[in-house]
Amino acid sequence: MSKRAVRILLIVVVILGGLFVAADRLAVNFAEGEAADKMRTSEGLSETPDVSIKGFPFLTQVAGGELDDVEVGIKDYDARSGSDSIRIADLRAHMKGVKFSGDYSSATAATATGTARVTYDELLKAGKSEPVELPLGATGKVVGLSDGGNGKIKVEVEVSKGGAKLPKPVHVLSSVRVEGDTIKVHADEIPKSLDVLGVSIPLPEGMARDVTDFQQKIDELPAGIKLEKVQAAPDGVDMTVTGSQVRLAG
């Protein structure tokens, strides 16, 4: 084969390769949009999620009926919390081994890992309730949550007696953990007593924990993803989520 023929062949190969890459990228962009629309419908989302299909070539993966790697991002997802709901500010999941049906009506991931965040304002909904009775006619309730540093949550408690509030709220540092589908906030230490308007009020630990400690159930996460662990962060509670045989659509 002459040098000119070789050059022509190489040019043709490059052109065909470029056309294949272009077609592949068009196909993956279309598929990402379709998948996002189906997830929005199946999960009842207020906004269309971000879907990113990784790996190349995409068309070869489609022909095999399985995608290697899919990333999903959902903003402001309203998860169930008992009879109420709690807003998850940011949920991102990494799906591996995503198999889909021949008519593309359903898709299931072999495994999923990801992260999610609940802001302190949302988590506070669990602690906001009627004031809890304390000794000598005083009451207390949680009125604020914030970052306490070193993985702790600072819990702000408002104490009142006879309608008068303490000049300054009481703060305790609390640990946060997950049990099943429930986030639990537990004070590390409880004050032995409080000085309320010049009166020293003893604080039995059990009674004080009725004020400071609380829990928030989070179920019905999208596609059957489950809570794995939680950690206090500057803007809220960061959660690690995992799943297997996770349904994405259908």
Side-chain angles (χ1 to χ4, degrees):
M1 184 179 293
S2 67
K3 289 184 179 180
R4 182 170 182 274
V6 170
R7 284 199 301 271
I8 293 174
L9 178 60
L10 289 175
I11 291 171
V12 170
V13 169
V14 170
I15 292 174
L16 290 177
L19 290 174
F20 175 78
V21 170
D24 192 80
R25 293 302 89 189
L26 286 173
V28 76
N29 289 338
F30 175 79
E32 288 171 345
E34 289 295 302
D37 288 340
K38 284 197 173 186
M39 282 196 67
R40 178 175 182 175
T41 300
S42 64
E43 297 295 340
L45 304 176
S46 59
E47 296 185 10
T48 303
D50 295 325
V51 176
S52 179
I53 300 173
K54 307 297 183 180
F56 179 83
F58 167 70
L59 294 174
T60 302
Q61 296 180 64
V62 172
E66 180 175 332
L67 302 178
D68 298 333
D69 189 353
V70 178
E71 289 185 3
V72 177
I74 303 175
K75 297 285 188 181
D76 296 332
Y77 177 79
D78 289 326
R80 299 302 304 170
S81 175
S83 59
D84 299 319
S85 65
I86 182 170
R87 175 155 292 187
I88 297 177
D90 190 9
L91 172 65
R92 304 203 68 84
H94 216 95
M95 313 288 186
K96 295 285 190 179
V98 179
K99 293 184 178 181
F100 47 87
S101 60
D103 60 358
Y104 307 106
S105 61
S106 64
T108 303
T111 62
T113 59
T115 58
R117 171 169 291 180
V118 175
T119 66
Y120 286 121
D121 285 344
E122 282 293 307
L123 189 58
L124 181 60
K125 290 179 179 179
K128 275 189 173 179
S129 60
E130 292 300 318
V132 176
E133 294 293 332
L134 297 173
L136 302 180
T139 61
K141 71 173 182 177
V142 175
V143 295
L145 300 175
S146 59
D147 179 27
N150 297 318
K152 303 293 183 180
I153 296 178
K154 182 190 287 187
V155 178
E156 181 177 315
V157 178
E158 180 183 272
V159 179
S160 303
K161 179 176 171 59
K165 301 175 184 177
L166 261 66
K168 293 182 179 180
V170 177
H171 293 98
V172 296
L173 289 178
S174 298
S175 299
V176 59
R177 70 182 190 278
V178 63
E179 290 186 7
D181 57 4
T182 301
I183 296 174
K184 294 190 174 184
V185 178
H186 181 84
D188 293 348
E189 292 185 20
I190 296 293
K192 301 291 185 185
S193 63
L194 290 176
D195 184 7
V196 181
L197 303 177
V199 178
S200 180
I201 297 179
L203 279 182
E205 183 167 338
M207 185 176 288
R209 288 195 180 279
D210 287 341
V211 180
T212 62
D213 296 3
F214 62 93
Q215 61 187 35
Q216 178 71 294
K217 185 176 183 180
I218 300 178
D219 51 14
E220 295 185 21
L221 284 170
I225 292 174
K226 302 296 182 183
L227 291 177
E228 182 73 17
K229 65 179 182 178
V230 293
Q231 181 175 353
D235 299 323
V237 174
D238 286 344
M239 305 180 292
T240 300
V241 296
T242 60
S244 60
Q245 297 304 308
V246 176
R247 180 182 57 80
L248 300 180

